[in-house]
Amino acid sequence: MASNEGKTKIITNISQIADQYDGILLDQFGVIHDGAKPTKGAVHAVDKLLEGKRPIYILSNSTKRSGPTHAKLVRLGFPAEKFMGVLTAGEHGYHRIRDMAKSGKIGKKCLWFDRLYTDKSQNNFIEGMGLSIVSTAAEADFLLLKGMHVVAKGTDKEKVVKYDFEKCGEMKGILKEALLEASRLGLPLHCLNPDRVAIQPDGSFGYTQGSAALYYEKMLAAEGFDPVELVKYYGKPTKDAYDWCLEKMNLDPKRVLMIGDSLEHDIQGARNGGVDSLFIASGIHSGDVMENPVPVCAGIGALSGLSMLTMFRKRNSLSTLAIVGLASIVVATAGSILDSKIFRKKISLQSLKKAAEKFGGAQPTFVMENFQW
């Protein structure tokens, strides 16, 4: 019913709400896999959704085209051949930039920023777009931001950035110089991944293309240009990306559910697209929305027990051996309580609301800890 503005409901399993929807828009990183392996229970949850004849459309902010993304999902053990489709930010941007270049809405001379790939097939991203690759901002009509490891990709003046922006998030060296030169000229930038950060397979956070684009926005503003007009993002949370998928699914948007872990892109995007949303709290915002409960009962119980043991000892009511035994029981009991589900991190709706306010205020329809059936 596209009730993003209503009160968020906490659920434990997607099976609780699955019958309310005829189709699923599904994020990938942080929800169904971490880039290296599926998240616990994700393959089973996908299987069960498909059993219910609900079409699944992957909607991801990956810079890769849809083909390589589909192939990776198959390698990770997902029945991707049964998915209705895959739309990545890279695929979205590829088609929209190609169409604008062909229609003359933008120029065709492109200064390309990209990643370093071991997979050589990733180096032909612009093939078929009708663009001319140039080596400097002075020659370019616009910038294409697909990664932060290589400047002037595809030219004989290609330069490799000497540090890892994804690890430190700092703008410096030839990457900074190239963007500064472009900002002075007021060049448009097309960003193929709006995400600011992403969770890496080892659990750490990495800075992504959206963070570099944000630096460029500030550079443009400092030069007196309007970054809203000049910086174009693809994928989520753009309404165009959601409309793309909904058109392919041919379903009533009120009967479609977006599942993702980004408040800025998945949940805000769901509101833009007019669909309900399920927020996965264990993903990128886990530190903001998952709280440690205060173990008052266990603490008081342990302290009370130890106090009683001390009293008995002073009165010589118990032998040393008995005190040691009772102390072990008290400590073990407190430990088991602390390890129980009562004291696991829990979703805080108050914290969720506060976190969402930083990204436009869109509240998810539902929230659950992990993507599981």
Side-chain angles (χ1 to χ4, degrees):
M1 55 184 171
S3 55
N4 299 78
E5 302 309 315
K7 186 177 180 181
T8 301
K9 180 180 179 181
I10 298 176
I11 62 173
T12 54
N13 303 290
I14 194 172
S15 58
Q16 295 172 243
I17 61 169
D19 288 342
Q20 298 179 35
Y21 298 98
D22 299 325
I24 303 294
L25 294 173
L26 185 59
D27 182 34
Q28 50 168 347
F29 291 98
V31 176
I32 62 173
H33 68 79
D34 63 6
K37 62 184 183 305
T39 54
K40 186 177 180 181
V43 174
H44 176 65
V46 166
D47 285 338
K48 296 298 287 185
L49 286 170
L50 289 170
E51 278 181 21
K53 308 299 181 184
R54 299 175 193 88
I56 292 177
Y57 214 109
I58 298 295
L59 183 52
S60 167
N61 275 353
S62 168
T63 61
K64 294 180 179 179
R65 296 285 304 276
S66 293
T69 298
H70 182 277
K72 181 171 184 175
L73 290 170
V74 171
R75 290 196 301 272
L76 289 174
F78 291 97
E81 71 282 354
K82 297 180 182 179
F83 294 167
M84 176 168 278
V86 175
L87 180 66
T88 61
E91 188 75 20
H92 185 213
Y94 178 92
H95 286 274
R96 295 301 185 240
I97 294 170
R98 182 196 64 185
D99 293 346
M100 286 188 288
K102 285 184 176 180
S103 67
K105 290 183 179 179
I106 61 173
K108 296 183 178 182
K109 295 179 181 178
C110 165
L111 180 61
W112 182 11
F113 297 74
D114 205 352
R115 305 182 71 176
L116 284 171
Y117 293 105
T118 52
D119 179 2
K120 300 299 182 183
S121 67
Q122 293 299 316
N123 292 324
N124 62 359
F125 179 83
I126 66 164
E127 188 176 311
M129 294 179 77
L131 302 178
S132 299
I133 305 303
V134 298
S135 57
T136 65
E139 303 168 82
D141 294 317
F142 68 91
L143 312 181
L144 179 64
L145 181 60
K146 189 171 179 287
M148 291 78 66
H149 298 145
V150 181
V151 177
K153 178 75 170 281
T155 72
D156 57 2
K157 294 183 180 179
E158 182 175 292
K159 297 177 182 178
V160 176
V161 177
K162 300 298 183 182
Y163 73 102
D164 193 344
F165 176 88
E166 293 182 8
K167 287 187 176 180
C168 69
E170 295 179 22
M171 185 59 64
K172 56 187 180 181
I174 60 173
L175 182 59
K176 182 177 181 179
E177 292 169 8
L179 291 177
L180 277 173
E181 182 186 1
S183 69
R184 295 187 189 108
L185 297 169
L187 291 181
L189 178 144
H190 295 260
C191 179
L192 296 180
N193 181 358
D195 291 355
R196 313 291 186 195
V197 294
I199 300 177
Q200 306 302 311
D202 63 1
S204 64
F205 286 90
Y207 295 90
T208 51
Q209 291 81 354
S211 288
L214 185 59
Y215 271 112
Y216 188 64
E217 286 188 19
K218 294 176 180 177
M219 292 175 182
L220 286 170
E223 296 294 335
F225 296 104
D226 184 359
V228 175
E229 291 292 326
L230 292 173
V231 179
K232 174 74 173 177
Y233 294 96
Y234 297 93
K236 302 171 293 185
T238 69
K239 184 178 184 300
D240 188 47
Y242 283 81
D243 287 346
W244 175 308
C245 298
L246 290 171
E247 182 180 351
K248 301 288 186 182
M249 298 176 87
N250 193 29
L251 295 172
D252 180 352
K254 294 179 181 179
R255 297 283 298 178
V256 175
L257 179 70
M258 174 71 212
I259 304 174
D261 71 329
S262 170
L263 292 168
E264 182 177 10
H265 303 108
D266 300 311
I267 308 308
Q268 182 66 36
R271 180 165 74 174
N272 294 341
V275 300
D276 282 358
S277 60
L278 167 58
F279 175 64
I280 304 301
S282 60
I284 202 165
H285 296 291
S286 61
D288 298 317
V289 303
M290 299 288 292
E291 292 188 346
N292 281 313
V294 180
V296 176
C297 297
I300 291 175
L303 289 173
S304 298
L306 291 173
S307 296
M308 291 178 64
L309 289 174
T310 302
M311 180 185 71
F312 284 137
R313 180 58 181 154
K314 285 182 177 179
R315 295 180 179 179
N316 295 316
S317 301
L318 293 173
S319 66
T320 299
L321 185 60
I323 289 174
V324 171
L326 284 171
S328 299
I329 294 172
V330 170
V331 172
T333 301
S336 65
I337 293 174
L338 287 169
D339 287 337
S340 71
K341 291 184 178 180
I342 298 174
F343 291 99
R344 284 177 54 192
K345 281 189 174 183
K346 293 184 177 179
I347 297 167
S348 165
L349 289 180
Q350 184 177 359
S351 296
L352 173 57
K353 183 177 181 180
K354 196 173 185 180
E357 287 171 355
K358 301 176 186 176
F359 306 109
Q363 298 293 320
T365 316
F366 305 100
V367 57
M368 62 189 292
E369 185 175 349
N370 301 298
F371 177 63
Q372 59 188 17
W373 182 253

